[in-house]
């Protein structure tokens, strides 16, 4: 696995989130994904996709910075700060979140298998 592939996968993921591109998210997120939200809830791929499909999750702007990538065999761990502006279920989201994402190589595809995010003060 090359760092460049992970950087490109991250760009593809963030673009899909920004555009609520469910078909790309469907492809990038592993079926058994677990993701911890800042409120402590753990969500699945189905929950995440439904939040975009239903229009509950609306992203106005999204900007990534301070990305660190570690590659261990067929797994990449990414930490990144994301400045996010939007709404979830009509509740405003506005701030910087620190994400950690775990990508795994499956044949030709990289998929997110796990992740978590916390708000930065």
């Amino acid at each position: 696995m090359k760092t460049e592939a992970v950087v490109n996968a991250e760009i593809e993921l963030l673009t899909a989130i920004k555009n609520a591109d469910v078909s790309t998210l469907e492809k990038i997120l592993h079926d058994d994904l677990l993701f911890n939200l800042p409120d402590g809830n753990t969500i699945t791929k189905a929950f995440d996709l439904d939040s975009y499909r239903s229009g509950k999750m609306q992203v106005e702007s999204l900007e990534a910075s301070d990305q660190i990538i570690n590659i261990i065999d067929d797994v990449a761990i990414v930490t990144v700060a994301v400045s996010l502006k939007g709404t979830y279920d009509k509740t405003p989201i506005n701030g910087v979140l620190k994400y950690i994402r775990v990508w795994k190589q499956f044949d030709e595809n990289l998929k997110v298998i796990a992740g978590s995010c916390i708000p930065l003060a």
Side-chain angles (χ1 to χ4, degrees), residues 6-104:
V6 180
V7 169
N8 291 338
E10 278 282 317
I11 291 167
E12 188 180 10
L13 175 67
L14 293 176
T15 304
I17 290 169
K18 197 177 193 171
N19 299 330
D21 179 350
V22 175
S23 62
T24 298
L25 291 171
E26 175 79 49
K27 187 182 76 171
I28 293 177
L29 303 178
H30 191 275
D31 288 346
D32 295 322
L33 168 79
L34 290 177
F35 190 92
N36 288 332
L37 297 172
D39 65 5
N41 284 315
T42 300
I43 62 168
T44 60
K45 175 180 177 175
F47 183 97
D48 198 35
L49 293 179
D50 285 346
S51 70
Y52 291 100
R53 256 191 219 108
S54 67
K56 271 187 181 178
M57 186 68 191
Q58 301 276 331
V59 177
E60 278 175 52
S61 67
L62 175 151
E63 200 173 309
S65 61
D66 301 329
Q67 186 181 65
I68 301 168
I69 299 172
N70 281 353
I71 295 175
I72 305 162
D73 297 327
D74 66 345
V75 171
I77 297 101
V78 177
T79 67
V80 63
V82 176
S83 178
L84 187 63
K85 188 172 184 191
T87 56
Y88 180 77
D89 208 9
K90 299 187 179 89
T91 304
I93 303 167
N94 193 355
V96 181
L97 297 162
K98 183 77 172 212
Y99 284 81
I100 187 164
R101 264 191 285 277
V102 182
W103 293 85
K104 184 170 175 18

